[in-house]
Amino acid sequence: MGESSVSYDFRLPAVCHALLTDIKFFQQLAQIDEDLAEQTRLQGCPCGGPLHQAHFPRKPRSCPAEVRKDFTKRWSFCCGQCRKRITAVSVRFLGRRVHLALAIVLVSARGPTPARARELAQQLSIAPRTVERWRQWWRERFPATRLWQTMCASFMPPLDIALLPEALLERFAGTENEAMLHLLRFLRPLTGSTPITLQEGR
């Protein structure tokens, strides 16, 4: 995670939005989640009991048809001893929202051309009120999470909260694909057994 200039001249509309049709990128996300789930299973339950599969179905939106089958299951487990459910962290999903985390980030980011963000939301059949709730979450709820409270000091100069999530994405190094992947990995702590509470526009 390196520092970067605070120019906010984002290329999100032109480049990162193409990720929504990048089948290899979606396949990479699915593989990462599968690996994370296996790590969760091997760690077992805090009580010491074994974890058994208890995955639950998802009906993902903003997901290419070619990889939809890889996104219809949320990796989760049930302890064979205390019966507690433990859900693995994810780079595919953000809380209980039906749209994928990738789409939530891209549609929430206005970038230099807000019209392109509105067009993207329309293409994904995301209502304007839902987009506004997502942006409100980035501005108001996300800064209050334990994740951000713990990690915000790592970003210097400080991020402008009003420019989330694009201001956060800009701070991750690498190609557009790599930066987005770094961001989705960064958000993982918000997606596990005690996910953030999100209102969903369905």
Side-chain angles (χ1 to χ4, degrees), residues 60-99:
R61 298 182 186 177
S62 59
C63 181
E66 296 91 329
V67 294
R68 187 174 300 277
K69 63 181 178 61
D70 295 325
F71 288 75
T72 56
K73 177 169 58 178
R74 185 72 162 86
W75 296 98
S76 191
F77 303 89
C78 181
C79 177
Q81 183 168 299
C82 71
R83 309 306 299 172
K84 177 181 179 181
R85 175 180 283 276
I86 296 180
T87 301
V89 294
S90 174
V91 295
R92 295 176 301 159
F93 303 107
L94 184 58
R96 298 179 179 178
R97 297 178 182 232
V98 294
H99 288 276

Side-chain angles (χ1 to χ4, degrees), residues 123-138:
Q123 292 174 352
L124 297 176
S125 299
I126 303 173
R129 63 181 181 277
T130 298
V131 176
E132 186 51 41
R133 277 200 297 270
W134 290 353
R135 289 173 175 162
Q136 184 177 11
W137 178 82
W138 283 106

Side-chain angles (χ1 to χ4, degrees), residues 33-45:
D33 267 15
E34 187 171 349
D35 294 341
L36 292 170
E38 179 62 12
Q39 293 174 22
T40 298
R41 186 190 69 79
L42 292 175
Q43 288 172 359
C45 181

Side-chain angles (χ1 to χ4, degrees), residues 15 44 93 128 154 162:
V15 181
F93 303 107
S154 302

Side-chain angles (χ1 to χ4, degrees), residues 117-176:
R118 290 195 297 270
E119 179 184 347
L120 179 63
Q122 292 173 356
Q123 292 174 352
L124 297 176
S125 299
I126 303 173
R129 63 181 181 277
T130 298
V131 176
E132 186 51 41
R133 277 200 297 270
W134 290 353
R135 289 173 175 162
Q136 184 177 11
W137 178 82
W138 283 106
R139 296 191 305 265
E140 301 176 6
R141 300 281 299 278
F142 175 72
T145 61
R146 182 179 300 178
L147 170 65
W148 185 246
Q149 292 295 312
T150 301
M151 299 299 297
C152 63
S154 302
F155 296 91
M156 296 301 293
L159 272 68
D160 185 343
I161 297 301
L163 295 175
L164 290 174
E166 55 262 48
L168 182 58
L169 179 60
E170 190 205 33
R171 298 301 180 91
F172 293 98
T175 65
E176 287 77 13

